[in-house]
Amino acid sequence: MKKIFYSICAAVLLISASVQAKTITLGVAADPIALDIHVQLSGEMLAYSHLSFDPLVRWTKDMKFEPRLAEKWERLDELTMRFHLRKGVKFHSGNTFTAKDVVWTVERLKKSQDFKGLFEIFEKAAAVDEYTVDIKTKKPYGLFLNMMTYLFPMDSDFYTGTDENGKPKDAIDKVAATFANTHESGTGPFYVTYREQGVKTVFKRFADYWDKDCPGNIDELIMNPIKKDATRVASLLSGDVDFIYPVAPQDYAMVKNRKGVKLVTMGGSRIITFQLNQNRRPEFKNADVRKAIVYAVNNEGIVEKIMKGEAVAAGQQGPKGFGGYIEELKPRYDLKKAKELMKKAGYEKGFECTMIAPNNRYVNDEKIAEAVAAMLSKINIKVNLKTMPKAQYWNSFDAQEADIQMIGWHPDTEDSANYSEYLVMTPSKETGYGQYNSGNYSNKKVDELVLACQTETDPDVRNAMLKEIETILYNEAAFIPLHWQNLSWAGKDNLDIEPIVNIMNFPYFGELVAK
Amino acid sequence: MILKLKTLLFDKIWEKLMFAFITRRIIQAVIVMLIISFIGFTIKHHVGDPVRELVGVSVKASEREALREKLGLNDPFFVQYKNFLKNAVKGDFGISYFFKKPASQVILEKAPATLELVFASSILIILLSIPLGTYCAIKPKSILSRLIMGMSIVGVSIPVFLTAIMLIFLFAVNLHILPSYGRGDTVPILWGMWDTGFLTLDGLKHLILPVIALSSIMLPLFIRLIRAEMMEVMQTEYIKFAFAKGLSKKRIWFVHAFKNTLLPVITVGGVQLGIMIAYTILTETVFQWQGMGFMFLEAVERSDTSLLVAYLMFVGVLFVVVNTIVDIIYGFINPKVRISGTK
């Protein structure tokens, strides 16, 4: 009898112990396209990088740098930075993390199609000793540490050699099931135990994780991509998943009003804009016409009505907190002034032009484009709008098929200058600058300032330059600013979401606490 | 003796006809495949650019161009098509960019989910539409019949995705009794070739809402169809004669009338099965049901072109096979209709 009693006790204990193991299910819009973190530079990939890998440094919520695998760093000269690496860090494979892994990873980043653009500026990384590494740039570089947030050291021993097919394990391939695409060994809080592309990825907490102060208590994390916004919200509300992102603005109210779940939103850094093509339309060469259009677009109204208040109306490229942000550059809707400017420019009677926008890329992109087209009709600009799915949109965008084109931009560097490099610098095939400047806006002073920013390492001087750029763009109405999209996450009440989310939209799930 | 010889002769002819019929169908299928592959190949150049989906936004145009060259996307249309056909004959439909596996393998992995969904819906439709349809035909004036007919109008008019979302919000979000997405637990059967959701409680629970959503258009349609056909049959001379002869009502309804009602229903059923596969695209997308329909829509959005063409061809084959089976069944039910093998 006693025996039975004890065995029941033991069973109960076992069960309660297994209940303690916390599993949460995530519903995300898309899962990473592979397990190789260098195969694509995308939000999903970076979110995954923070799960299974750790960067040298990372962003805190208030946009400061926080040491991760690098414990501290110092500048040796204007080109070189010395990083002192954390000791006692283990990879998932059991290998020990050392300076050679950092050197190896930098070499590999420079080979990755997606990352080589960002890492071109780096000359090389050299190991000084096992736990010290010097990273050198080709010229002085103001965004050195920004780039180090993308340096997630990979397990060089694990990825060296050839796989069973005789292919090198470190090959970066976007379309083949290479070793790196199907295996991972990082230093991150979770390792991958199961993965079915597009269906499910299972992460288990890494027992030897170096960060013993990490408050996170999730033992198992199941990542399920759920494509449709409505289904994703429903899966949270029905209790099938514990955490979702993103949440569509039309569902915010429903999540907020629901007991047992909560919504967290935060202003983002993705700016939504329209570009006015000066090569296609001589009218757009006239700064007064461009200004008139900016004055005619009620972007605060769009934020209120279409975005349901979950966006921040913009008058410049970078949001608050960015180096170039100027408080005074506000949205400037004024229909009367817009009409005056059109009259001044000699286009009182207006003209007809074309506009294209995607219909599944940005939040409410199609509705926003329709609203802007309607607003422009008030100053007698008749807009013929065409919207299309994103799979087709970017080729049309590159071909500059329309006079007015929509583009949203999130800077990979989390820095003001990045917007300008891609969106407003004079387009040039040779240098690659102005790659997405379909407005063909060109201003020598802006080009010079952006280039000067790259090599300026004094933050104050650099911010002054960034501010000057924003002012010029504002005064010349280089583009039509609309808003910065809010980021959104939602989860069950027992999850402490706020501390782990950030403006980059890479939630640090390793630190997620479930009560 | 003569009778025996006659049946023997008849069997011989029947066999020959059957053989000719199947051969013809195979030839037809090949032609259909060729046409579908050509159309699929033509549109794949217009659904978008696969390279865009593979690289990040900030990647330089020259890098994208290099990848395009590597994937063979810069070759002229006919060179690409010729290469595709050459490989397709060997059963190689290209590599899915997203899944990084052969497209045919991806489709075979995703097919069970869709086929189970379609199968369960078909069963539901058959089990409900036959009794309800016949009841409405026999008692057209009863309140229940009117109710069923009224409901069926509503059912036909609401789009599948709306039904699906309403079901999710009612049963998953508000009542918390059924899961909102996915297939739930599946177990491998047939040496791991097939993952079935039929054998687990969780899998069956996950099946309920998608099946109802998928049936929501076809079920009312079939109820109305059976009712209309049956009512027409009930007006015919031989039924009237059967009544006059004093046969039992049940025998007339369920044997004589019902058999003749089935003929048009089977024909329509065969065609509708194909349409149902089309509807799975909507249902699967809303329920995140990891089948072929969802995969196809994703492939379109991601411009995963090999997968897209392979899916179109697979569905083409499925259509030909289903129609062939329907034609054969038709011959069995109605001896008057013979499968024509030669013309």
Side-chain angles (χ1 to χ4, degrees), chain A residues 172-196:
Chain A
I172 305 174
D173 194 319
K174 284 177 186 290
V175 296
T178 58
F179 180 83
N181 277 346
T182 50
H183 298 74
E184 70 65 25
S185 175
T187 60
F190 292 101
Y191 63 99
V192 177
T193 57
Y194 173 84
R195 175 170 154 86
E196 197 184 340

mmCIF file of all heavy atoms in Angstrom, chain A residues 172-196:
data_model
loop_
_atom_site.group_PDB
_atom_site.id
_atom_site.type_symbol
_atom_site.label_atom_id
_atom_site.label_comp_id
_atom_site.label_asym_id
_atom_site.label_seq_id
_atom_site.Cartn_x
_atom_site.Cartn_y
_atom_site.Cartn_z
ATOM 1 N N ILE A 172 27.040 29.630 -48.838
ATOM 2 C CA ILE A 172 25.832 30.439 -48.679
ATOM 3 C C ILE A 172 25.019 30.287 -49.952
ATOM 4 O O ILE A 172 25.473 30.685 -51.023
ATOM 5 C CB ILE A 172 26.174 31.924 -48.457
ATOM 6 C CG1 ILE A 172 27.118 32.076 -47.264
ATOM 7 C CG2 ILE A 172 24.912 32.738 -48.247
ATOM 8 C CD1 ILE A 172 27.616 33.492 -47.060
ATOM 9 N N ASP A 173 23.871 29.666 -49.869
ATOM 10 C CA ASP A 173 23.064 29.435 -51.058
ATOM 11 C C ASP A 173 21.606 29.706 -50.730
ATOM 12 O O ASP A 173 21.085 29.197 -49.751
ATOM 13 C CB ASP A 173 23.254 27.983 -51.519
ATOM 14 C CG ASP A 173 22.726 27.780 -52.934
ATOM 15 O OD1 ASP A 173 21.648 28.339 -53.232
ATOM 16 O OD2 ASP A 173 23.379 27.080 -53.718
ATOM 17 N N LYS A 174 20.974 30.522 -51.583
ATOM 18 C CA LYS A 174 19.602 30.915 -51.282
ATOM 19 C C LYS A 174 18.575 29.855 -51.656
ATOM 20 O O LYS A 174 17.470 29.859 -51.141
ATOM 21 C CB LYS A 174 19.253 32.201 -52.021
ATOM 22 C CG LYS A 174 19.869 33.422 -51.393
ATOM 23 C CD LYS A 174 19.533 34.651 -52.213
ATOM 24 C CE LYS A 174 20.258 35.858 -51.697
ATOM 25 N NZ LYS A 174 19.747 36.296 -50.391
ATOM 26 N N VAL A 175 18.912 28.979 -52.586
ATOM 27 C CA VAL A 175 17.872 28.072 -53.072
ATOM 28 C C VAL A 175 18.161 26.593 -52.833
ATOM 29 O O VAL A 175 17.346 25.757 -53.164
ATOM 30 C CB VAL A 175 17.577 28.288 -54.573
ATOM 31 C CG1 VAL A 175 17.019 29.665 -54.806
ATOM 32 C CG2 VAL A 175 18.808 28.068 -55.413
ATOM 33 N N ALA A 176 19.307 26.253 -52.249
ATOM 34 C CA ALA A 176 19.595 24.837 -52.050
ATOM 35 C C ALA A 176 19.581 24.501 -50.566
ATOM 36 O O ALA A 176 19.799 25.362 -49.714
ATOM 37 C CB ALA A 176 20.955 24.492 -52.643
ATOM 38 N N ALA A 177 19.319 23.228 -50.262
ATOM 39 C CA ALA A 177 19.292 22.791 -48.866
ATOM 40 C C ALA A 177 20.713 22.505 -48.412
ATOM 41 O O ALA A 177 21.112 21.365 -48.227
ATOM 42 C CB ALA A 177 18.415 21.558 -48.729
ATOM 43 N N THR A 178 21.506 23.550 -48.255
ATOM 44 C CA THR A 178 22.895 23.370 -47.861
ATOM 45 C C THR A 178 22.990 23.021 -46.381
ATOM 46 O O THR A 178 22.004 23.095 -45.649
ATOM 47 C CB THR A 178 23.687 24.671 -48.074
ATOM 48 O OG1 THR A 178 23.033 25.683 -47.305
ATOM 49 C CG2 THR A 178 23.721 25.075 -49.521
ATOM 50 N N PHE A 179 24.185 22.658 -45.956
ATOM 51 C CA PHE A 179 24.404 22.334 -44.552
ATOM 52 C C PHE A 179 24.006 23.510 -43.661
ATOM 53 O O PHE A 179 23.249 23.358 -42.706
ATOM 54 C CB PHE A 179 25.883 21.973 -44.332
ATOM 55 C CG PHE A 179 26.214 21.624 -42.916
ATOM 56 C CD1 PHE A 179 25.984 20.345 -42.438
ATOM 57 C CD2 PHE A 179 26.744 22.572 -42.055
ATOM 58 C CE1 PHE A 179 26.277 20.010 -41.121
ATOM 59 C CE2 PHE A 179 27.037 22.246 -40.735
ATOM 60 C CZ PHE A 179 26.807 20.960 -40.269
ATOM 61 N N ALA A 180 24.506 24.707 -44.009
ATOM 62 C CA ALA A 180 24.229 25.882 -43.167
ATOM 63 C C ALA A 180 22.748 26.234 -43.170
ATOM 64 O O ALA A 180 22.231 26.762 -42.195
ATOM 65 C CB ALA A 180 25.066 27.066 -43.637
ATOM 66 N N ASN A 181 22.053 25.940 -44.276
ATOM 67 C CA ASN A 181 20.631 26.252 -44.337
ATOM 68 C C ASN A 181 19.794 25.315 -43.474
ATOM 69 O O ASN A 181 18.637 25.601 -43.183
ATOM 70 C CB ASN A 181 20.127 26.170 -45.779
ATOM 71 C CG ASN A 181 20.394 27.458 -46.544
ATOM 72 O OD1 ASN A 181 20.706 28.476 -45.937
ATOM 73 N ND2 ASN A 181 20.266 27.415 -47.843
ATOM 74 N N THR A 182 20.346 24.180 -43.117
ATOM 75 C CA THR A 182 19.557 23.188 -42.391
ATOM 76 C C THR A 182 20.116 22.854 -41.004
ATOM 77 O O THR A 182 19.522 22.062 -40.295
ATOM 78 C CB THR A 182 19.455 21.888 -43.215
ATOM 79 O OG1 THR A 182 20.775 21.520 -43.638
ATOM 80 C CG2 THR A 182 18.591 22.058 -44.449
ATOM 81 N N HIS A 183 21.273 23.417 -40.654
ATOM 82 C CA HIS A 183 21.845 23.171 -39.331
ATOM 83 C C HIS A 183 22.218 24.506 -38.704
ATOM 84 O O HIS A 183 22.527 25.446 -39.418
ATOM 85 C CB HIS A 183 23.118 22.321 -39.426
ATOM 86 C CG HIS A 183 22.880 20.955 -40.006
ATOM 87 N ND1 HIS A 183 22.653 20.757 -41.333
ATOM 88 C CD2 HIS A 183 22.830 19.743 -39.425
ATOM 89 C CE1 HIS A 183 22.478 19.458 -41.558
ATOM 90 N NE2 HIS A 183 22.577 18.823 -40.420
ATOM 91 N N GLU A 184 22.202 24.570 -37.368
ATOM 92 C CA GLU A 184 22.697 25.792 -36.756
ATOM 93 C C GLU A 184 23.519 25.472 -35.523
ATOM 94 O O GLU A 184 23.266 24.485 -34.840
ATOM 95 C CB GLU A 184 21.572 26.776 -36.474
ATOM 96 C CG GLU A 184 20.540 26.518 -35.410
ATOM 97 C CD GLU A 184 20.915 26.443 -33.954
ATOM 98 O OE1 GLU A 184 21.938 27.019 -33.530
ATOM 99 O OE2 GLU A 184 20.170 25.804 -33.210
ATOM 100 N N SER A 185 24.514 26.301 -35.295
ATOM 101 C CA SER A 185 25.210 26.266 -34.025
ATOM 102 C C SER A 185 25.639 27.684 -33.691
ATOM 103 O O SER A 185 26.601 28.199 -34.237
ATOM 104 C CB SER A 185 26.422 25.337 -34.087
ATOM 105 O OG SER A 185 27.128 25.417 -32.869
ATOM 106 N N GLY A 186 24.870 28.297 -32.822
ATOM 107 C CA GLY A 186 25.166 29.648 -32.385
ATOM 108 C C GLY A 186 25.359 29.635 -30.884
ATOM 109 O O GLY A 186 25.410 28.575 -30.253
ATOM 110 N N THR A 187 25.437 30.828 -30.301
ATOM 111 C CA THR A 187 25.621 30.913 -28.857
ATOM 112 C C THR A 187 24.325 31.321 -28.174
ATOM 113 O O THR A 187 24.308 31.556 -26.975
ATOM 114 C CB THR A 187 26.679 31.971 -28.526
ATOM 115 O OG1 THR A 187 26.215 33.222 -29.047
ATOM 116 C CG2 THR A 187 28.019 31.626 -29.129
ATOM 117 N N GLY A 188 23.244 31.449 -28.939
ATOM 118 C CA GLY A 188 22.020 32.068 -28.436
ATOM 119 C C GLY A 188 21.280 31.254 -27.397
ATOM 120 O O GLY A 188 21.614 30.105 -27.117
ATOM 121 N N PRO A 189 20.243 31.873 -26.800
ATOM 122 C CA PRO A 189 19.492 31.225 -25.721
ATOM 123 C C PRO A 189 18.703 29.991 -26.163
ATOM 124 O O PRO A 189 18.338 29.176 -25.332
ATOM 125 C CB PRO A 189 18.550 32.324 -25.237
ATOM 126 C CG PRO A 189 18.493 33.329 -26.333
ATOM 127 C CD PRO A 189 19.802 33.262 -27.031
ATOM 128 N N PHE A 190 18.420 29.862 -27.457
ATOM 129 C CA PHE A 190 17.639 28.714 -27.912
ATOM 130 C C PHE A 190 18.347 27.996 -29.048
ATOM 131 O O PHE A 190 18.999 28.626 -29.875
ATOM 132 C CB PHE A 190 16.270 29.163 -28.432
ATOM 133 C CG PHE A 190 15.357 29.693 -27.379
ATOM 134 C CD1 PHE A 190 15.196 31.062 -27.217
ATOM 135 C CD2 PHE A 190 14.655 28.828 -26.557
ATOM 136 C CE1 PHE A 190 14.343 31.555 -26.247
ATOM 137 C CE2 PHE A 190 13.802 29.324 -25.583
ATOM 138 C CZ PHE A 190 13.648 30.687 -25.424
ATOM 139 N N TYR A 191 18.215 26.681 -29.082
ATOM 140 C CA TYR A 191 18.694 25.950 -30.250
ATOM 141 C C TYR A 191 17.515 25.271 -30.938
ATOM 142 O O TYR A 191 16.479 25.035 -30.326
ATOM 143 C CB TYR A 191 19.782 24.937 -29.872
ATOM 144 C CG TYR A 191 19.353 23.834 -28.943
ATOM 145 C CD1 TYR A 191 19.030 22.576 -29.433
ATOM 146 C CD2 TYR A 191 19.277 24.051 -27.572
ATOM 147 C CE1 TYR A 191 18.634 21.556 -28.577
ATOM 148 C CE2 TYR A 191 18.886 23.033 -26.717
ATOM 149 C CZ TYR A 191 18.561 21.789 -27.222
ATOM 150 O OH TYR A 191 18.157 20.794 -26.367
ATOM 151 N N VAL A 192 17.694 24.999 -32.219
ATOM 152 C CA VAL A 192 16.592 24.472 -33.025
ATOM 153 C C VAL A 192 16.562 22.953 -32.902
ATOM 154 O O VAL A 192 17.562 22.282 -33.118
ATOM 155 C CB VAL A 192 16.769 24.878 -34.502
ATOM 156 C CG1 VAL A 192 15.664 24.281 -35.364
ATOM 157 C CG2 VAL A 192 16.798 26.385 -34.637
ATOM 158 N N THR A 193 15.383 22.406 -32.543
ATOM 159 C CA THR A 193 15.286 20.947 -32.456
ATOM 160 C C THR A 193 14.471 20.364 -33.608
ATOM 161 O O THR A 193 14.606 19.194 -33.936
ATOM 162 C CB THR A 193 14.628 20.490 -31.144
ATOM 163 O OG1 THR A 193 13.344 21.109 -31.057
ATOM 164 C CG2 THR A 193 15.468 20.877 -29.957
ATOM 165 N N TYR A 194 13.613 21.178 -34.190
ATOM 166 C CA TYR A 194 12.784 20.660 -35.278
ATOM 167 C C TYR A 194 12.428 21.820 -36.188
ATOM 168 O O TYR A 194 12.182 22.915 -35.732
ATOM 169 C CB TYR A 194 11.500 20.046 -34.726
ATOM 170 C CG TYR A 194 10.514 19.629 -35.786
ATOM 171 C CD1 TYR A 194 10.621 18.391 -36.412
ATOM 172 C CD2 TYR A 194 9.481 20.484 -36.186
ATOM 173 C CE1 TYR A 194 9.731 18.011 -37.396
ATOM 174 C CE2 TYR A 194 8.582 20.102 -37.174
ATOM 175 C CZ TYR A 194 8.707 18.870 -37.778
ATOM 176 O OH TYR A 194 7.835 18.505 -38.754
ATOM 177 N N ARG A 195 12.410 21.545 -37.487
ATOM 178 C CA ARG A 195 12.026 22.622 -38.380
ATOM 179 C C ARG A 195 11.395 22.066 -39.640
ATOM 180 O O ARG A 195 11.926 21.176 -40.290
ATOM 181 C CB ARG A 195 13.238 23.448 -38.763
ATOM 182 C CG ARG A 195 12.945 24.517 -39.784
ATOM 183 C CD ARG A 195 14.135 25.438 -39.917
ATOM 184 N NE ARG A 195 14.153 26.052 -41.222
ATOM 185 C CZ ARG A 195 13.489 27.156 -41.525
ATOM 186 N NH1 ARG A 195 12.752 27.751 -40.630
ATOM 187 N NH2 ARG A 195 13.554 27.639 -42.745
ATOM 188 N N GLU A 196 10.218 22.592 -39.955
ATOM 189 C CA GLU A 196 9.590 22.295 -41.231
ATOM 190 C C GLU A 196 9.306 23.649 -41.851
ATOM 191 O O GLU A 196 8.494 24.423 -41.351
ATOM 192 C CB GLU A 196 8.300 21.501 -41.009
ATOM 193 C CG GLU A 196 7.817 20.807 -42.255
ATOM 194 C CD GLU A 196 6.490 20.099 -42.035
ATOM 195 O OE1 GLU A 196 6.144 19.824 -40.870
ATOM 196 O OE2 GLU A 196 5.796 19.863 -43.027
#
